[in-house]
Amino acid sequence: LRNESAKLTKENQVGVGTVFIFHFCRIMKRLLISVFVWGSFHPLLAQDIDSLFISRLFQAALGEGKVYEDLRVLCKTAGPRISGSAEAGRAVDYTHAKMNEYGFDTVFRQEVEVPRWERGKEDSLRLDADGGVPGQAFPVCALGGSVAGELRGKVVEVLGWNDLQKLGKENIQGKIVFFNRPMDARMVHTFGAYGTCVDQRVYGAVWAAYYGAGGVIIRSMNPALDDYPHTGTLIYADSVARIPAVAISTNGAEQLSRLLKENPELSVKYSLFCRSFPDTLSHNVVGEIKGGTFPEKYIVVGGHLDAWDLGEGAHDDGGGCMQSIEALRLLKDLGYVPRHSLRSVMWMNEENGLKGALKYAELAEENKEYHVAAIEADRGAFTPRGFFIEGSEDNLLKMRSWLPLLEPYGIHVIRPGGAGADVSPLKKKEEKPVLIGFIPDSQRYFDYHHAATDTFESVNKRELEMGAAALAALIYLIDRHGTE
Ligand SMILES: [Zn+2]
């Protein structure tokens, strides 16, 4: 300012009025620029700008959000949408149209070959009664990918592989193995309990066939006691027979176990009529908003569009899909111009093949697309708690520095952890993106997971909206501040 006024004195003879106005304007311009630059780099003011914008995101999501209605339409018009089904095709068309309707810059499909499996309508398990009278029925469903079969036999109850080893072939051959290990209720995080329990569903049929069993009954992966069987994928091995596999509800499992204690000679009869078909053509759907500064660098958020066939795939994973679309829509409708290109990705076939995720990563590598970060939303549409990070220590520290901005919304967890199945193939990319898993509250997720209860009605509107805003806030922070 002193320099400016000195110059001003020298130039007095030119005409004080004109020169003063000229310099006043220059100073004001510099001041404005310095405030702007200072605002961008000074930590306090930058945080103020971020916290203001994040609060607008949450207000928009809760006040004028579209995600709840979008999810309702997906659940009620596409419905259960296992890969290769007509319903999955409707979900592809619907999300494609939705992202166009929201004015994303580009929306496109990626062709994916997917496996196709269909359940028969009469999965049943009954006590084997005498004299042609049908015995008591249990609530069951075929596990995804199971072969069909009708069999009757004595039941051997086990908790896992160790029990099979102890019993040996002589006690298992020709029988039906009943895996009845419950999810461990003492574990606070239900995904942990699921992780330590799901081996019996995935490998149970192979283990039992190895010892000569004719079929398996698997206790549903459900922490609650109810009458709904939960399906899910199983894996067969070429080295042993493919035996039919059925899931029984948790109440049914408790009852069957009780009956077996009373009568170890108990025999059951079960029938599954599922079928596998040749692979069929399906699609991932990708919506994109072009970045202003780094259009060739991507930040991706997504969920899987396919869902098991018993419910409506509302939590798993219609919610994650529609939140991923909503996150980008919120940013766009608030007038945010991203520096990086943003993508919302609907992966196909997570449940029984992961073919969509593999195809997406393959094309990203082929097209030399640089991915800065990939966020997966596939843990239910419950109250957001935070994010798991798969990246470097620097990535983690950087993202943790954003916690004060997110804590007002109940988001307090940013820690190392698995991001999810659909983003995992991106690890193979030459330029590795930071992989991020969205963490909602986990307490109720497995009550609905892969069961007929996973319907739109089981989703809470505000929890779903809060999740969409949380994703949008994280995308905004990554876009604005980078990942390291
Ligand atoms: Zn899922």
Side-chain angles (χ1 to χ4, degrees), residues 304 306 315-317 350-351 376-379 422 445 449-450:
H304 64 85
D306 62 311
H315 283 290
D316 188 14
D317 182 24
E350 189 270 352
E351 295 292 8
E376 179 163 338
D378 184 19
R379 287 179 168 89
D422 278 315
Y445 182 63
H449 185 245
H450 299 176

Side-chain angles (χ1 to χ4, degrees), residues 394-409:
D394 281 353
N395 299 147
L396 187 66
L397 286 175
K398 175 86 178 191
M399 292 183 186
R400 278 204 166 142
S401 74
W402 300 332
L403 274 173
L405 291 162
L406 300 171
E407 274 166 350
Y409 309 96

Side-chain angles (χ1 to χ4, degrees), residues 120-186:
K121 298 300 169 202
E122 305 153 80
D123 301 336
S124 78
L125 172 74
R126 292 178 175 279
L127 291 180
D128 195 4
D130 293 322
V133 182
Q136 184 203 325
F138 297 92
V140 294
C141 67
L143 285 183
S146 174
V147 295
E150 282 189 90
L151 58 137
R152 52 170 20 123
K154 289 186 179 159
V155 180
V156 190
E157 180 177 341
V158 297
L159 293 179
W161 171 250
N162 288 346
D163 286 353
L164 290 177
Q165 276 184 309
K166 277 181 222 152
L167 285 164
K169 208 164 191 159
E170 62 276 21
N171 292 305
I172 297 173
Q173 182 87 39
K175 294 186 179 161
I176 296 169
V177 174
F178 169 33
F179 288 91
N180 192 26
R181 188 162 91 253
M183 285 175 70
D184 188 344
R186 296 165 302 181

Side-chain angles (χ1 to χ4, degrees), residues 248-269:
I248 185 169
S249 75
T250 45
N251 274 341
E254 294 285 302
Q255 196 191 13
L256 182 59
S257 180
R258 240 183 348 259
L259 292 169
L260 276 167
K261 282 185 184 76
E262 286 163 18
N263 175 17
E265 295 301 303
L266 188 95
S267 171
V268 300
K269 187 180 161 191

